[in-house]
Amino acid sequence: MKNRKIAVLVKQVIDTRRTENYTFGENGVVDRNALPAIVNPEDLNALEQAIRLKNQIGNAEIIAISMGPQRAAEALKEAIYRGADSGILVSDRRVAGADTLATSYALSLAVRKAGADIVFAGRQTIDGDTAHVGPQVAQALGVPQVTYAEEVTADGEDHLIVKRRLDNGYEMVRTSIPAVITVMGTAAKCRPCNVRRLLEYRKADVTVWSADDLGGDVARFGLAGSPTQVIKSEPIVTETKGSVTLTSSDEDLTNLVNQLIANRTID
């Protein structure tokens, strides 16, 4: 296969397993600096598919791309430790506070500037759960997209075969290159960080691009280019008020059903 550049979109996200100290600004934007951060889990599944595809075709380069504050470089370094060849961070106050549309626009410019013709991304992030960014990047680039991917393999010089997860099974899709592929969390888990790569790249810097480096329409970046308006955001804490131990006796089951009806839990 001809030489390929594979971009993997990587986002540093809030660790939603530790939400006790969520901090929101007046505009409803989360203060990410006040919270622990991790690499978005499904982005790691996407990275694994990119690495496997590179190993299959041989002549390829994997570029991890992220957008965020300077500390998001940590996510890119982790991607490099796991198998990516390089990392690019889009970091500029003008791109801050972006919704999915503005984020996708900026990332599409970064992908184009990097010269990538295959783009992998996680299906969605655990902080937003929109599943918008991958498809919107594809739209901005004007290339085919395949979503809900579990496995990606090369098919000749200019096509990919993608196994897509469906509700009741899966389907096989053949797409041309260039393309954007979003990967499910049910795909293969990403390999761990490689100790040799960690020692080799721990002091290496990732490339940082500003809004000026991306080019494009500055009015479409950040909050200015985000049509989404957050009215209110707040954490939801679930609590268990109590539990009841039931047996399989008819009496216990009848009492439970009568209680649920009385509480209008069921009709």
Side-chain angles (χ1 to χ4, degrees), residues 247-267:
T247 69
S248 59
S249 68
D250 291 341
E251 181 181 359
D252 277 358
L253 295 176
T254 299
N255 290 337
L256 174 61
V257 171
N258 289 337
Q259 183 179 351
L260 294 175
I261 293 174
N263 293 338
R264 296 187 176 182
T265 303
I266 61 175
D267 295 326

Side-chain angles (χ1 to χ4, degrees), residues 9-206:
L9 305 184
V10 176
K11 185 179 182 182
Q12 188 182 60
V13 297
I14 297 165
D15 187 351
T16 54
R17 297 166 296 184
R18 302 173 60 184
T19 59
E20 67 276 8
N21 294 318
Y22 261 82
T23 304
F24 296 89
E26 294 181 358
N27 59 359
V29 176
V30 177
D31 181 4
R32 298 178 183 274
N33 292 322
L35 300 165
I38 59 173
V39 177
N40 182 60
E42 289 189 338
D43 294 349
L44 292 177
N45 296 101
L47 175 60
E48 177 63 23
Q49 290 303 311
I51 295 171
R52 293 186 179 199
L53 182 63
K54 175 185 176 179
N55 290 341
Q56 180 189 358
I57 65 180
N59 194 19
E61 174 188 357
I62 299 176
I63 308 166
I65 300 177
S66 186
M67 188 177 85
Q70 289 294 319
R71 78 167 183 167
E74 299 168 2
L76 294 173
K77 294 292 282 289
E78 181 174 338
I80 293 172
Y81 299 154
R82 291 175 184 266
D85 296 295
S86 61
I88 296 172
L89 175 63
V90 177
S91 187
D92 191 311
R93 289 185 179 274
R94 287 170 289 180
V95 302
D99 67 0
T100 60
L101 186 64
T103 296
S104 301
Y105 176 65
L107 289 174
S108 70
L109 294 175
V111 168
R112 186 176 285 116
K113 181 178 174 66
D117 46 15
I118 303 173
V119 181
F120 284 93
R123 173 183 57 110
Q124 63 187 42
T125 59
I126 60 174
D127 58 352
D129 288 333
T130 63
H132 288 174
V133 171
Q136 287 176 335
V137 167
Q139 182 180 18
L141 292 172
V143 302
Q145 60 168 305
V146 183
T147 57
Y148 303 105
E150 282 194 331
E151 186 177 349
V152 182
T153 56
D155 182 32
E157 287 283 315
D158 298 306
H159 291 83
L160 301 171
I161 299 294
V162 183
K163 179 181 178 181
R164 298 184 71 235
R165 166 63 65 179
L166 303 178
D167 289 340
N168 298 314
Y170 65 89
E171 68 178 1
M172 306 301 291
V173 177
R174 185 173 187 262
T175 182
S176 59
I177 301 172
V180 174
I181 313 294
T182 62
V183 181
M184 297 279 288
T186 52
K189 292 183 178 180
C190 191
R191 62 202 62 196
C193 295
N194 182 284
V195 175
R196 291 184 178 179
R197 294 184 66 85
L198 192 152
L199 293 175
E200 181 179 357
Y201 293 104
R202 61 177 177 166
K203 295 184 179 180
D205 295 325
V206 301

Side-chain angles (χ1 to χ4, degrees), residues 105 109 113 210-218 221:
Y105 176 65
L109 294 175
K113 181 178 174 66
S210 68
D212 293 331
D213 293 320
L214 294 180
D217 184 358
V218 177
F221 292 149

